[in-house]
mmCIF file with all atom_site columns, all heavy atoms in Angstrom:
data_model
loop_
_atom_site.group_PDB
_atom_site.id
_atom_site.type_symbol
_atom_site.label_atom_id
_atom_site.label_alt_id
_atom_site.label_comp_id
_atom_site.label_asym_id
_atom_site.label_entity_id
_atom_site.label_seq_id
_atom_site.pdbx_PDB_ins_code
_atom_site.Cartn_x
_atom_site.Cartn_y
_atom_site.Cartn_z
_atom_site.occupancy
_atom_site.B_iso_or_equiv
_atom_site.pdbx_formal_charge
_atom_site.auth_seq_id
_atom_site.auth_comp_id
_atom_site.auth_asym_id
_atom_site.auth_atom_id
_atom_site.pdbx_PDB_model_num
ATOM 1   N N   . ALA A 1 141 ? 3.888  -0.037  12.008 1.00 95.00 ? 1042 ALA A N   1
ATOM 2   C CA  . ALA A 1 141 ? 4.996  -0.758  12.527 1.00 95.00 ? 1042 ALA A CA  1
ATOM 3   C C   . ALA A 1 141 ? 6.312  -0.312  11.932 1.00 95.00 ? 1042 ALA A C   1
ATOM 4   O O   . ALA A 1 141 ? 7.301  -0.202  12.560 1.00 95.00 ? 1042 ALA A O   1
ATOM 5   C CB  . ALA A 1 141 ? 4.780  -2.376  12.318 1.00 95.00 ? 1042 ALA A CB  1
ATOM 6   N N   . LEU A 1 144 ? 7.145  3.088   13.475 1.00 96.00 ? 1045 LEU A N   1
ATOM 7   C CA  . LEU A 1 144 ? 7.784  2.926   14.834 1.00 96.00 ? 1045 LEU A CA  1
ATOM 8   C C   . LEU A 1 144 ? 9.233  2.422   14.742 1.00 96.00 ? 1045 LEU A C   1
ATOM 9   O O   . LEU A 1 144 ? 10.084 2.755   15.575 1.00 96.00 ? 1045 LEU A O   1
ATOM 10  C CB  . LEU A 1 144 ? 6.921  1.880   15.629 1.00 96.00 ? 1045 LEU A CB  1
ATOM 11  C CG  . LEU A 1 144 ? 5.586  2.421   16.216 1.00 96.00 ? 1045 LEU A CG  1
ATOM 12  C CD1 . LEU A 1 144 ? 4.814  1.313   16.839 1.00 96.00 ? 1045 LEU A CD1 1
ATOM 13  C CD2 . LEU A 1 144 ? 6.019  3.436   17.446 1.00 96.00 ? 1045 LEU A CD2 1
ATOM 14  N N   . HIS A 1 145 ? 9.364  1.453   13.836 1.00 95.00 ? 1046 HIS A N   1
ATOM 15  C CA  . HIS A 1 145 ? 10.800 0.899   13.733 1.00 95.00 ? 1046 HIS A CA  1
ATOM 16  C C   . HIS A 1 145 ? 11.783 2.052   13.235 1.00 95.00 ? 1046 HIS A C   1
ATOM 17  O O   . HIS A 1 145 ? 12.884 2.015   13.871 1.00 95.00 ? 1046 HIS A O   1
ATOM 18  C CB  . HIS A 1 145 ? 10.715 -0.146  12.560 1.00 95.00 ? 1046 HIS A CB  1
ATOM 19  C CG  . HIS A 1 145 ? 11.939 -0.945  12.366 1.00 95.00 ? 1046 HIS A CG  1
ATOM 20  N ND1 . HIS A 1 145 ? 12.185 -1.918  11.532 1.00 95.00 ? 1046 HIS A ND1 1
ATOM 21  C CD2 . HIS A 1 145 ? 13.308 -0.783  12.985 1.00 95.00 ? 1046 HIS A CD2 1
ATOM 22  C CE1 . HIS A 1 145 ? 13.463 -2.357  11.582 1.00 95.00 ? 1046 HIS A CE1 1
ATOM 23  N NE2 . HIS A 1 145 ? 14.016 -1.680  12.446 1.00 95.00 ? 1046 HIS A NE2 1
ATOM 24  N N   . LEU A 1 148 ? 12.553 4.250   16.389 1.00 95.00 ? 1049 LEU A N   1
ATOM 25  C CA  . LEU A 1 148 ? 13.432 3.564   17.336 1.00 95.00 ? 1049 LEU A CA  1
ATOM 26  C C   . LEU A 1 148 ? 14.804 3.441   16.753 1.00 95.00 ? 1049 LEU A C   1
ATOM 27  O O   . LEU A 1 148 ? 15.799 3.595   17.492 1.00 95.00 ? 1049 LEU A O   1
ATOM 28  C CB  . LEU A 1 148 ? 12.857 2.118   17.623 1.00 95.00 ? 1049 LEU A CB  1
ATOM 29  C CG  . LEU A 1 148 ? 11.617 1.988   18.434 1.00 95.00 ? 1049 LEU A CG  1
ATOM 30  C CD1 . LEU A 1 148 ? 11.106 0.628   18.449 1.00 95.00 ? 1049 LEU A CD1 1
ATOM 31  C CD2 . LEU A 1 148 ? 11.842 2.523   19.822 1.00 95.00 ? 1049 LEU A CD2 1
ATOM 32  N N   . ALA A 1 149 ? 15.002 3.344   15.434 1.00 93.00 ? 1050 ALA A N   1
ATOM 33  C CA  . ALA A 1 149 ? 16.328 3.124   14.852 1.00 93.00 ? 1050 ALA A CA  1
ATOM 34  C C   . ALA A 1 149 ? 16.963 4.564   14.795 1.00 93.00 ? 1050 ALA A C   1
ATOM 35  O O   . ALA A 1 149 ? 18.204 4.607   15.070 1.00 93.00 ? 1050 ALA A O   1
ATOM 36  C CB  . ALA A 1 149 ? 16.187 2.646   13.410 1.00 93.00 ? 1050 ALA A CB  1
ATOM 37  N N   . VAL A 1 154 ? 17.302 0.303   18.159 1.00 91.00 ? 1055 VAL A N   1
ATOM 38  C CA  . VAL A 1 154 ? 17.204 -0.986  17.374 1.00 91.00 ? 1055 VAL A CA  1
ATOM 39  C C   . VAL A 1 154 ? 18.013 -0.840  16.143 1.00 91.00 ? 1055 VAL A C   1
ATOM 40  O O   . VAL A 1 154 ? 18.456 0.342   15.714 1.00 91.00 ? 1055 VAL A O   1
ATOM 41  C CB  . VAL A 1 154 ? 15.733 -1.336  17.124 1.00 91.00 ? 1055 VAL A CB  1
ATOM 42  C CG1 . VAL A 1 154 ? 15.017 -1.518  18.313 1.00 91.00 ? 1055 VAL A CG1 1
ATOM 43  C CG2 . VAL A 1 154 ? 15.116 -0.266  16.261 1.00 91.00 ? 1055 VAL A CG2 1
ATOM 44  N N   . ARG A 1 155 ? 18.195 -1.929  15.362 1.00 85.00 ? 1056 ARG A N   1
ATOM 45  C CA  . ARG A 1 155 ? 18.826 -1.972  14.122 1.00 85.00 ? 1056 ARG A CA  1
ATOM 46  C C   . ARG A 1 155 ? 18.004 -1.316  13.044 1.00 85.00 ? 1056 ARG A C   1
ATOM 47  O O   . ARG A 1 155 ? 16.707 -1.355  13.196 1.00 85.00 ? 1056 ARG A O   1
ATOM 48  C CB  . ARG A 1 155 ? 19.166 -3.341  13.727 1.00 85.00 ? 1056 ARG A CB  1
ATOM 49  C CG  . ARG A 1 155 ? 20.173 -4.025  14.516 1.00 85.00 ? 1056 ARG A CG  1
ATOM 50  C CD  . ARG A 1 155 ? 20.235 -5.545  14.206 1.00 85.00 ? 1056 ARG A CD  1
ATOM 51  N NE  . ARG A 1 155 ? 20.364 -5.808  12.853 1.00 85.00 ? 1056 ARG A NE  1
ATOM 52  C CZ  . ARG A 1 155 ? 21.576 -6.164  12.253 1.00 85.00 ? 1056 ARG A CZ  1
ATOM 53  N NH1 . ARG A 1 155 ? 22.608 -6.290  12.924 1.00 85.00 ? 1056 ARG A NH1 1
ATOM 54  N NH2 . ARG A 1 155 ? 21.592 -6.523  11.003 1.00 85.00 ? 1056 ARG A NH2 1
ATOM 55  N N   . ALA A 1 156 ? 18.508 -0.595  12.139 1.00 81.00 ? 1057 ALA A N   1
ATOM 56  C CA  . ALA A 1 156 ? 17.746 0.060   11.083 1.00 81.00 ? 1057 ALA A CA  1
ATOM 57  C C   . ALA A 1 156 ? 17.154 -0.918  10.075 1.00 81.00 ? 1057 ALA A C   1
ATOM 58  O O   . ALA A 1 156 ? 16.135 -0.763  9.545  1.00 81.00 ? 1057 ALA A O   1
ATOM 59  C CB  . ALA A 1 156 ? 18.526 1.092   10.368 1.00 81.00 ? 1057 ALA A CB  1
ATOM 60  N N   . ASP A 1 157 ? 17.915 -2.033  9.898  1.00 73.00 ? 1058 ASP A N   1
ATOM 61  C CA  . ASP A 1 157 ? 17.443 -3.021  8.900  1.00 73.00 ? 1058 ASP A CA  1
ATOM 62  C C   . ASP A 1 157 ? 16.696 -4.133  9.644  1.00 73.00 ? 1058 ASP A C   1
ATOM 63  O O   . ASP A 1 157 ? 16.861 -4.310  10.779 1.00 73.00 ? 1058 ASP A O   1
ATOM 64  C CB  . ASP A 1 157 ? 18.536 -3.639  8.183  1.00 73.00 ? 1058 ASP A CB  1
ATOM 65  C CG  . ASP A 1 157 ? 19.671 -4.296  9.173  1.00 73.00 ? 1058 ASP A CG  1
ATOM 66  O OD1 . ASP A 1 157 ? 19.676 -3.764  10.277 1.00 73.00 ? 1058 ASP A OD1 1
ATOM 67  O OD2 . ASP A 1 157 ? 20.329 -5.169  8.740  1.00 73.00 ? 1058 ASP A OD2 1
ATOM 68  N N   . ARG A 1 158 ? 15.886 -4.818  8.818  1.00 59.00 ? 1059 ARG A N   1
ATOM 69  C CA  . ARG A 1 158 ? 15.069 -5.870  9.434  1.00 59.00 ? 1059 ARG A CA  1
ATOM 70  C C   . ARG A 1 158 ? 15.962 -7.044  9.653  1.00 59.00 ? 1059 ARG A C   1
ATOM 71  O O   . ARG A 1 158 ? 16.867 -7.425  8.918  1.00 59.00 ? 1059 ARG A O   1
ATOM 72  C CB  . ARG A 1 158 ? 14.006 -6.303  8.487  1.00 59.00 ? 1059 ARG A CB  1
ATOM 73  C CG  . ARG A 1 158 ? 12.957 -5.194  8.286  1.00 59.00 ? 1059 ARG A CG  1
ATOM 74  C CD  . ARG A 1 158 ? 11.840 -5.651  7.360  1.00 59.00 ? 1059 ARG A CD  1
ATOM 75  N NE  . ARG A 1 158 ? 11.051 -6.778  7.935  1.00 59.00 ? 1059 ARG A NE  1
ATOM 76  C CZ  . ARG A 1 158 ? 10.002 -7.255  7.481  1.00 59.00 ? 1059 ARG A CZ  1
ATOM 77  N NH1 . ARG A 1 158 ? 9.459  -6.745  6.346  1.00 59.00 ? 1059 ARG A NH1 1
ATOM 78  N NH2 . ARG A 1 158 ? 9.370  -8.342  8.033  1.00 59.00 ? 1059 ARG A NH2 1
ATOM 79  N N   . MET A 1 159 ? 15.720 -7.813  10.805 1.00 50.00 ? 1060 MET A N   1
ATOM 80  C CA  . MET A 1 159 ? 16.373 -8.931  11.097 1.00 50.00 ? 1060 MET A CA  1
ATOM 81  C C   . MET A 1 159 ? 16.022 -10.240 10.345 1.00 50.00 ? 1060 MET A C   1
ATOM 82  O O   . MET A 1 159 ? 16.743 -11.246 10.288 1.00 50.00 ? 1060 MET A O   1
ATOM 83  C CB  . MET A 1 159 ? 16.346 -9.301  12.702 1.00 50.00 ? 1060 MET A CB  1
ATOM 84  C CG  . MET A 1 159 ? 17.014 -8.198  13.485 1.00 50.00 ? 1060 MET A CG  1
ATOM 85  S SD  . MET A 1 159 ? 17.041 -8.631  15.244 1.00 50.00 ? 1060 MET A SD  1
ATOM 86  C CE  . MET A 1 159 ? 17.919 -7.400  15.941 1.00 50.00 ? 1060 MET A CE  1
ATOM 87  N N   . ARG A 1 160 ? 14.679 -10.192 9.829  1.00 46.00 ? 1061 ARG A N   1
ATOM 88  C CA  . ARG A 1 160 ? 14.206 -11.235 9.113  1.00 46.00 ? 1061 ARG A CA  1
ATOM 89  C C   . ARG A 1 160 ? 14.312 -12.546 9.924  1.00 46.00 ? 1061 ARG A C   1
ATOM 90  O O   . ARG A 1 160 ? 14.687 -13.622 9.347  1.00 46.00 ? 1061 ARG A O   1
ATOM 91  C CB  . ARG A 1 160 ? 14.833 -11.445 7.727  1.00 46.00 ? 1061 ARG A CB  1
ATOM 92  C CG  . ARG A 1 160 ? 14.760 -10.147 6.911  1.00 46.00 ? 1061 ARG A CG  1
ATOM 93  C CD  . ARG A 1 160 ? 15.226 -10.389 5.509  1.00 46.00 ? 1061 ARG A CD  1
ATOM 94  N NE  . ARG A 1 160 ? 15.190 -9.176  4.730  1.00 46.00 ? 1061 ARG A NE  1
ATOM 95  C CZ  . ARG A 1 160 ? 14.050 -8.780  4.098  1.00 46.00 ? 1061 ARG A CZ  1
ATOM 96  N NH1 . ARG A 1 160 ? 12.969 -9.512  4.204  1.00 46.00 ? 1061 ARG A NH1 1
ATOM 97  N NH2 . ARG A 1 160 ? 14.028 -7.654  3.455  1.00 46.00 ? 1061 ARG A NH2 1
ATOM 98  N N   . LEU A 1 161 ? 13.794 -12.544 11.141 1.00 43.00 ? 1062 LEU A N   1
ATOM 99  C CA  . LEU A 1 161 ? 13.737 -13.780 12.031 1.00 43.00 ? 1062 LEU A CA  1
ATOM 100 C C   . LEU A 1 161 ? 14.986 -14.462 12.277 1.00 43.00 ? 1062 LEU A C   1
ATOM 101 O O   . LEU A 1 161 ? 15.078 -15.553 12.719 1.00 43.00 ? 1062 LEU A O   1
ATOM 102 C CB  . LEU A 1 161 ? 12.697 -14.732 11.353 1.00 43.00 ? 1062 LEU A CB  1
ATOM 103 C CG  . LEU A 1 161 ? 11.342 -14.246 11.062 1.00 43.00 ? 1062 LEU A CG  1
ATOM 104 C CD1 . LEU A 1 161 ? 10.509 -15.318 10.545 1.00 43.00 ? 1062 LEU A CD1 1
ATOM 105 C CD2 . LEU A 1 161 ? 10.679 -13.659 12.268 1.00 43.00 ? 1062 LEU A CD2 1
ATOM 106 N N   . ILE A 1 162 ? 16.119 -13.763 11.960 1.00 45.00 ? 1063 ILE A N   1
ATOM 107 C CA  . ILE A 1 162 ? 17.454 -14.306 12.328 1.00 45.00 ? 1063 ILE A CA  1
ATOM 108 C C   . ILE A 1 162 ? 17.853 -13.752 13.686 1.00 45.00 ? 1063 ILE A C   1
ATOM 109 O O   . ILE A 1 162 ? 17.849 -12.546 13.999 1.00 45.00 ? 1063 ILE A O   1
ATOM 110 C CB  . ILE A 1 162 ? 18.501 -14.019 11.234 1.00 45.00 ? 1063 ILE A CB  1
ATOM 111 C CG1 . ILE A 1 162 ? 18.014 -14.599 9.935  1.00 45.00 ? 1063 ILE A CG1 1
ATOM 112 C CG2 . ILE A 1 162 ? 19.863 -14.510 11.660 1.00 45.00 ? 1063 ILE A CG2 1
ATOM 113 C CD1 . ILE A 1 162 ? 18.976 -14.229 8.710  1.00 45.00 ? 1063 ILE A CD1 1
ATOM 114 N N   . VAL A 1 164 ? 20.092 -12.103 16.064 1.00 46.00 ? 1065 VAL A N   1
ATOM 115 C CA  . VAL A 1 164 ? 21.343 -11.295 15.982 1.00 46.00 ? 1065 VAL A CA  1
ATOM 116 C C   . VAL A 1 164 ? 21.618 -10.609 17.351 1.00 46.00 ? 1065 VAL A C   1
ATOM 117 O O   . VAL A 1 164 ? 20.754 -10.108 17.975 1.00 46.00 ? 1065 VAL A O   1
ATOM 118 C CB  . VAL A 1 164 ? 21.059 -10.114 14.947 1.00 46.00 ? 1065 VAL A CB  1
ATOM 119 C CG1 . VAL A 1 164 ? 22.282 -9.204  14.738 1.00 46.00 ? 1065 VAL A CG1 1
ATOM 120 C CG2 . VAL A 1 164 ? 20.705 -10.749 13.597 1.00 46.00 ? 1065 VAL A CG2 1
ATOM 121 N N   . ALA A 1 172 ? 17.821 -1.752  22.547 1.00 89.00 ? 1073 ALA A N   1
ATOM 122 C CA  . ALA A 1 172 ? 16.784 -2.388  23.318 1.00 89.00 ? 1073 ALA A CA  1
ATOM 123 C C   . ALA A 1 172 ? 16.714 -3.846  23.145 1.00 89.00 ? 1073 ALA A C   1
ATOM 124 O O   . ALA A 1 172 ? 17.106 -4.377  22.052 1.00 89.00 ? 1073 ALA A O   1
ATOM 125 C CB  . ALA A 1 172 ? 15.431 -1.719  22.817 1.00 89.00 ? 1073 ALA A CB  1
ATOM 126 N N   . VAL A 1 175 ? 10.468 -4.015  23.775 1.00 97.00 ? 1076 VAL A N   1
ATOM 127 C CA  . VAL A 1 175 ? 9.738  -2.825  23.487 1.00 97.00 ? 1076 VAL A CA  1
ATOM 128 C C   . VAL A 1 175 ? 8.316  -2.852  23.937 1.00 97.00 ? 1076 VAL A C   1
ATOM 129 O O   . VAL A 1 175 ? 7.671  -3.865  23.851 1.00 97.00 ? 1076 VAL A O   1
ATOM 130 C CB  . VAL A 1 175 ? 9.755  -2.551  22.028 1.00 97.00 ? 1076 VAL A CB  1
ATOM 131 C CG1 . VAL A 1 175 ? 9.038  -1.260  21.656 1.00 97.00 ? 1076 VAL A CG1 1
ATOM 132 C CG2 . VAL A 1 175 ? 11.199 -2.434  21.382 1.00 97.00 ? 1076 VAL A CG2 1
ATOM 133 N N   . LEU A 1 195 ? 3.379  -6.887  14.605 1.00 95.00 ? 1096 LEU A N   1
ATOM 134 C CA  . LEU A 1 195 ? 4.141  -6.644  13.425 1.00 95.00 ? 1096 LEU A CA  1
ATOM 135 C C   . LEU A 1 195 ? 5.496  -6.085  13.649 1.00 95.00 ? 1096 LEU A C   1
ATOM 136 O O   . LEU A 1 195 ? 6.415  -6.452  12.959 1.00 95.00 ? 1096 LEU A O   1
ATOM 137 C CB  . LEU A 1 195 ? 3.257  -5.622  12.544 1.00 95.00 ? 1096 LEU A CB  1
ATOM 138 C CG  . LEU A 1 195 ? 1.956  -6.079  12.125 1.00 95.00 ? 1096 LEU A CG  1
ATOM 139 C CD1 . LEU A 1 195 ? 1.227  -4.931  11.367 1.00 95.00 ? 1096 LEU A CD1 1
ATOM 140 C CD2 . LEU A 1 195 ? 2.083  -7.268  11.087 1.00 95.00 ? 1096 LEU A CD2 1
ATOM 141 N N   . LEU A 1 196 ? 5.631  -5.249  14.809 1.00 95.00 ? 1097 LEU A N   1
ATOM 142 C CA  . LEU A 1 196 ? 6.951  -4.747  15.116 1.00 95.00 ? 1097 LEU A CA  1
ATOM 143 C C   . LEU A 1 196 ? 7.846  -5.857  15.607 1.00 95.00 ? 1097 LEU A C   1
ATOM 144 O O   . LEU A 1 196 ? 9.127  -5.860  15.384 1.00 95.00 ? 1097 LEU A O   1
ATOM 145 C CB  . LEU A 1 196 ? 6.778  -3.614  16.192 1.00 95.00 ? 1097 LEU A CB  1
ATOM 146 C CG  . LEU A 1 196 ? 8.008  -2.858  16.514 1.00 95.00 ? 1097 LEU A CG  1
ATOM 147 C CD1 . LEU A 1 196 ? 8.669  -2.165  15.403 1.00 95.00 ? 1097 LEU A CD1 1
ATOM 148 C CD2 . LEU A 1 196 ? 7.690  -1.914  17.510 1.00 95.00 ? 1097 LEU A CD2 1
ATOM 149 N N   . ALA A 1 197 ? 7.292  -6.786  16.343 1.00 95.00 ? 1098 ALA A N   1
ATOM 150 C CA  . ALA A 1 197 ? 8.119  -7.918  16.996 1.00 95.00 ? 1098 ALA A CA  1
ATOM 151 C C   . ALA A 1 197 ? 8.647  -8.697  15.827 1.00 95.00 ? 1098 ALA A C   1
ATOM 152 O O   . ALA A 1 197 ? 9.831  -9.204  15.835 1.00 95.00 ? 1098 ALA A O   1
ATOM 153 C CB  . ALA A 1 197 ? 7.268  -8.745  17.805 1.00 95.00 ? 1098 ALA A CB  1
ATOM 154 N N   . ALA A 1 198 ? 7.854  -8.924  14.697 1.00 92.00 ? 1099 ALA A N   1
ATOM 155 C CA  . ALA A 1 198 ? 8.343  -9.620  13.488 1.00 92.00 ? 1099 ALA A CA  1
ATOM 156 C C   . ALA A 1 198 ? 9.454  -8.900  12.825 1.00 92.00 ? 1099 ALA A C   1
ATOM 157 O O   . ALA A 1 198 ? 10.346 -9.519  12.282 1.00 92.00 ? 1099 ALA A O   1
ATOM 158 C CB  . ALA A 1 198 ? 7.182  -9.899  12.568 1.00 92.00 ? 1099 ALA A CB  1
ATOM 159 N N   . ARG A 1 199 ? 9.433  -7.612  12.856 1.00 92.00 ? 1100 ARG A N   1
ATOM 160 C CA  . ARG A 1 199 ? 10.504 -6.838  12.154 1.00 92.00 ? 1100 ARG A CA  1
ATOM 161 C C   . ARG A 1 199 ? 11.785 -6.872  12.968 1.00 92.00 ? 1100 ARG A C   1
ATOM 162 O O   . ARG A 1 199 ? 12.857 -6.901  12.397 1.00 92.00 ? 1100 ARG A O   1
ATOM 163 C CB  . ARG A 1 199 ? 10.028 -5.424  11.998 1.00 92.00 ? 1100 ARG A CB  1
ATOM 164 C CG  . ARG A 1 199 ? 8.787  -5.291  11.067 1.00 92.00 ? 1100 ARG A CG  1
ATOM 165 C CD  . ARG A 1 199 ? 8.468  -3.737  10.943 1.00 92.00 ? 1100 ARG A CD  1
ATOM 166 N NE  . ARG A 1 199 ? 9.459  -3.027  10.220 1.00 92.00 ? 1100 ARG A NE  1
ATOM 167 C CZ  . ARG A 1 199 ? 9.610  -2.767  9.013  1.00 92.00 ? 1100 ARG A CZ  1
ATOM 168 N NH1 . ARG A 1 199 ? 8.751  -3.275  8.122  1.00 92.00 ? 1100 ARG A NH1 1
ATOM 169 N NH2 . ARG A 1 199 ? 10.568 -2.095  8.485  1.00 92.00 ? 1100 ARG A NH2 1
ATOM 170 N N   . LEU A 1 200 ? 11.705 -6.782  14.340 1.00 92.00 ? 1101 LEU A N   1
ATOM 171 C CA  . LEU A 1 200 ? 12.778 -6.577  15.174 1.00 92.00 ? 1101 LEU A CA  1
ATOM 172 C C   . LEU A 1 200 ? 13.363 -7.875  15.706 1.00 92.00 ? 1101 LEU A C   1
ATOM 173 O O   . LEU A 1 200 ? 14.504 -7.843  16.133 1.00 92.00 ? 1101 LEU A O   1
ATOM 174 C CB  . LEU A 1 200 ? 12.441 -5.659  16.405 1.00 92.00 ? 1101 LEU A CB  1
ATOM 175 C CG  . LEU A 1 200 ? 11.981 -4.260  15.991 1.00 92.00 ? 1101 LEU A CG  1
ATOM 176 C CD1 . LEU A 1 200 ? 11.650 -3.548  17.280 1.00 92.00 ? 1101 LEU A CD1 1
ATOM 177 C CD2 . LEU A 1 200 ? 12.956 -3.437  15.162 1.00 92.00 ? 1101 LEU A CD2 1
ATOM 178 N N   . GLY A 1 201 ? 12.537 -8.895  15.755 1.00 91.00 ? 1102 GLY A N   1
ATOM 179 C CA  . GLY A 1 201 ? 12.961 -10.094 16.431 1.00 91.00 ? 1102 GLY A CA  1
ATOM 180 C C   . GLY A 1 201 ? 13.122 -10.000 17.990 1.00 91.00 ? 1102 GLY A C   1
ATOM 181 O O   . GLY A 1 201 ? 13.948 -10.625 18.543 1.00 91.00 ? 1102 GLY A O   1
ATOM 182 N N   . LEU A 1 202 ? 12.331 -9.081  18.504 1.00 92.00 ? 1103 LEU A N   1
ATOM 183 C CA  . LEU A 1 202 ? 12.357 -8.791  19.961 1.00 92.00 ? 1103 LEU A CA  1
ATOM 184 C C   . LEU A 1 202 ? 10.950 -9.041  20.518 1.00 92.00 ? 1103 LEU A C   1
ATOM 185 O O   . LEU A 1 202 ? 9.953  -9.086  19.810 1.00 92.00 ? 1103 LEU A O   1
ATOM 186 C CB  . LEU A 1 202 ? 12.750 -7.387  20.269 1.00 92.00 ? 1103 LEU A CB  1
ATOM 187 C CG  . LEU A 1 202 ? 14.093 -6.905  19.823 1.00 92.00 ? 1103 LEU A CG  1
ATOM 188 C CD1 . LEU A 1 202 ? 14.310 -5.457  20.054 1.00 92.00 ? 1103 LEU A CD1 1
ATOM 189 C CD2 . LEU A 1 202 ? 15.265 -7.708  20.529 1.00 92.00 ? 1103 LEU A CD2 1
ATOM 190 N N   . THR A 1 203 ? 10.824 -9.169  21.858 1.00 95.00 ? 1104 THR A N   1
ATOM 191 C CA  . THR A 1 203 ? 9.545  -9.157  22.532 1.00 95.00 ? 1104 THR A CA  1
ATOM 192 C C   . THR A 1 203 ? 9.001  -7.794  22.534 1.00 95.00 ? 1104 THR A C   1
ATOM 193 O O   . THR A 1 203 ? 9.610  -6.808  23.029 1.00 95.00 ? 1104 THR A O   1
ATOM 194 C CB  . THR A 1 203 ? 9.626  -9.686  23.942 1.00 95.00 ? 1104 THR A CB  1
ATOM 195 O OG1 . THR A 1 203 ? 10.287 -11.000 23.871 1.00 95.00 ? 1104 THR A OG1 1
ATOM 196 C CG2 . THR A 1 203 ? 8.308  -9.810  24.604 1.00 95.00 ? 1104 THR A CG2 1
ATOM 197 N N   . VAL A 1 204 ? 7.832  -7.686  22.047 1.00 97.00 ? 1105 VAL A N   1
ATOM 198 C CA  . VAL A 1 204 ? 7.046  -6.354  21.991 1.00 97.00 ? 1105 VAL A CA  1
ATOM 199 C C   . VAL A 1 204 ? 5.598  -6.527  22.536 1.00 97.00 ? 1105 VAL A C   1
ATOM 200 O O   . VAL A 1 204 ? 4.961  -7.417  22.116 1.00 97.00 ? 1105 VAL A O   1
ATOM 201 C CB  . VAL A 1 204 ? 6.920  -5.793  20.527 1.00 97.00 ? 1105 VAL A CB  1
ATOM 202 C CG1 . VAL A 1 204 ? 6.304  -4.337  20.542 1.00 97.00 ? 1105 VAL A CG1 1
ATOM 203 C CG2 . VAL A 1 204 ? 8.279  -5.769  19.936 1.00 97.00 ? 1105 VAL A CG2 1
#
Side-chain angles (χ1 to χ4, degrees):
L1045 278 171
H1046 186 178
L1049 291 170
V1055 299
R1056 292 165 54 102
D1058 56 333
R1059 294 183 61 172
M1060 292 187 176
R1061 300 189 182 277
L1062 304 182
I1063 300 175
V1065 179
V1076 178
L1096 297 174
L1097 184 61
R1100 297 180 65 90
L1101 301 180
L1103 300 174
T1104 302
V1105 183

